[in-house]
Amino acid sequence: MIAERVIRVTERLTPADLDHAAALLRAGELVAFPTETVYGLGADATNDAAVAAIFEAKARPRFNPLIVHVIDEAAARRLVRFDERAAILARRFWPGPLSLVLPRTPDCPVSLLASAGLDSLALRVPAHPLPRALIRAVGRPIAAPSANRSGRVSPTTAEHVLDELDGRIAAVLDGGACRVGVESTVVDLTGPRPRLLRPGGAAAEAIEAAVGPLERAGADETAPRSPGMLASHYAPSLPLRLDAREVRPQEALLAFGPRPPRGAKEVRWLSRKGDLVEAAANLFAALRALDRPEFGAIAVMPIPEHGIGLAINDRLRRAAAPRP
Ligand code: AMP
Ligand code: MG
């Protein structure tokens, strides 16, 4: 593998950086890059060995399918069968933080590994200019799960990526902090009713306004349908205590709103003004910052359960779940 290299880009990729990153991807190497949600670990989705390398680098269970990134709806239609609901959601939310699970076309060139044995494929059209330029330059769909070790907190900076994957990837494109901060919303359109597999950056309320009520994935369902539904995921090393209204000894506090309880060994704000969008953008970096051995646990103040708050609470519940 080519030695790890950070390609720093603030606004735009230089043509040389873009060529380099695209050449790595076409050669089957792994390249991490920012998206508006979190940093992704990218590979040529049509190359079985490259897709397998994603699972290796992340130590990700093979039953956990990957989201594949394409440039637009037309590119998506070459890989999966669209129906009317998919067309409505694509037009309303793409490019953006919504992934659609749809039936693969018979001649879909995406590696079956990316579907983890299912006959469906999750697709997303990112809005961030950097992955868009990269997808165009490579000219192929790019498989890209979050660029962290499986089960751990998702990365929202290039530094987070290197903390966990340095030496296992060819390069990371550094585009600064991610705007949305939590992963895409995943909606399954393979059944008669649209189904919310994972709350995320696109608000469930807005999706329901476009295509009607979403079935919610029940807690009884497990990995093969949607591994983002694994009970323990997004986990820091310290235990998390949710809905904390007071601070206990040795606890650090993840605060939301202007009046946090006193007594924490350290406080990080998701949002001082109680803004859910700001809170989502800060969530993973704040969890990482408080995940230090001098604390006994991380207490988390209550987060309202609407809009992107659904995604924040989903990630927090999994981060707090008993570890396997
Ligand atoms: P990650 O790549 O870690 O951001 O997670 C990808 C999410 O998309 C996981 O929750 C997967 O379960 C879900 N996903 C990807 N492909 C499929 C699929 N074909 N069917 C159901 N869920 C999927
Ligand atoms: Mg992930």
Side-chain angles (χ1 to χ4, degrees):
M1 165 168 309
I2 297 163
E4 168 272 313
R5 179 168 165 245
V6 183
I7 304 175
R8 285 200 189 277
V9 262
T10 39
E11 288 282 297
R12 272 169 183 282
L13 276 176
T14 67
D17 288 339
L18 185 59
D19 283 353
H20 179 60
L24 288 171
L25 284 168
R26 275 196 299 267
E29 298 280 350
L30 303 182
V31 176
F33 52 78
T35 76
E36 68 274 24
T37 59
V38 301
Y39 273 69
L41 180 56
D44 175 356
T46 65
N47 178 334
D48 287 324
V51 174
I54 289 181
F55 286 90
E56 288 305 315
K58 284 183 58 97
R60 182 177 174 109
R62 297 272 170 153
F63 59 72
N64 193 343
L66 306 178
I67 294 171
V68 169
H69 294 62
V70 294
I71 196 67
D72 57 19
E73 184 186 329
R77 284 176 180 269
R78 290 194 277 276
L79 307 178
V80 294
R81 268 204 329 270
F82 259 57
D83 60 13
E84 185 56 26
R85 304 167 304 179
I88 290 169
L89 290 177
R91 267 153 225 168
R92 168 76 179 73
F93 291 95
W94 284 354
L98 175 67
S99 298
L100 297 178
V101 176
L102 290 160
R104 293 171 65 108
T105 55
D107 56 352
C108 175
V110 169
S111 169
L112 285 164
L113 278 176
S115 292
L118 302 169
D119 49 16
S120 58
L121 185 63
L123 289 181
R124 174 158 115 74
V125 173
H128 195 297
L130 220 146
R132 295 189 63 76
L134 200 55
I135 293 165
R136 278 214 174 81
V138 174
R140 297 173 198 162
I142 305 290
S146 51
N148 53 280
R149 297 291 196 102
S150 186
R152 311 292 306 199
V153 179
S154 295
T156 54
T157 67
E159 203 180 11
H160 296 162
V161 175
L162 291 175
D163 285 347
E164 292 187 13
L165 296 177
D166 197 3
R168 296 174 163 248
I169 60 179
V172 51
L173 303 179
D174 182 352
C178 299
R179 177 172 56 82
V180 177
V182 293
E183 299 82 351
S184 60
T185 304
V186 182
V187 172
D188 180 0
L189 294 176
T190 60
R193 302 263 304 273
R195 200 174 162 76
L196 182 66
L197 294 182
R198 174 176 79 180
E205 296 91 330
I207 296 167
E208 293 193 314
V211 289
L214 288 167
E215 279 181 9
R216 308 290 162 130
D220 53 319
E221 279 184 85
T222 46
R225 260 197 99 70
S226 198
M229 295 153 64
L230 288 175
S232 173
H233 211 76
Y234 315 108
S237 300
L238 287 181
L240 248 67
R241 189 169 65 80
L242 304 184
D243 293 318
R245 289 158 206 279
E246 82 298 327
V247 174
R248 298 178 187 166
Q250 305 308 318
E251 281 184 338
L253 180 68
L254 194 56
F256 181 81
R259 281 178 297 279
R262 292 171 187 279
K265 298 196 77 176
E266 183 160 330
V267 180
R268 286 270 166 161
W269 264 270
L270 290 174
S271 168
R272 270 183 206 263
K273 54 179 194 269
D275 179 276
L276 286 171
V277 171
E278 181 181 47
N282 289 330
L283 175 65
F284 291 135
L287 274 177
R288 281 171 189 266
L290 293 179
D291 194 18
R292 301 211 306 269
E294 64 260 40
F295 308 136
I298 302 171
V300 185
M301 291 178 66
I303 310 295
E305 182 77 359
H306 58 82
I308 202 167
L310 261 67
I312 298 172
N313 283 320
D314 172 80
R315 305 307 183 268
L316 288 170
R317 278 193 288 272
R318 291 177 208 282
R323 313 290 159 80

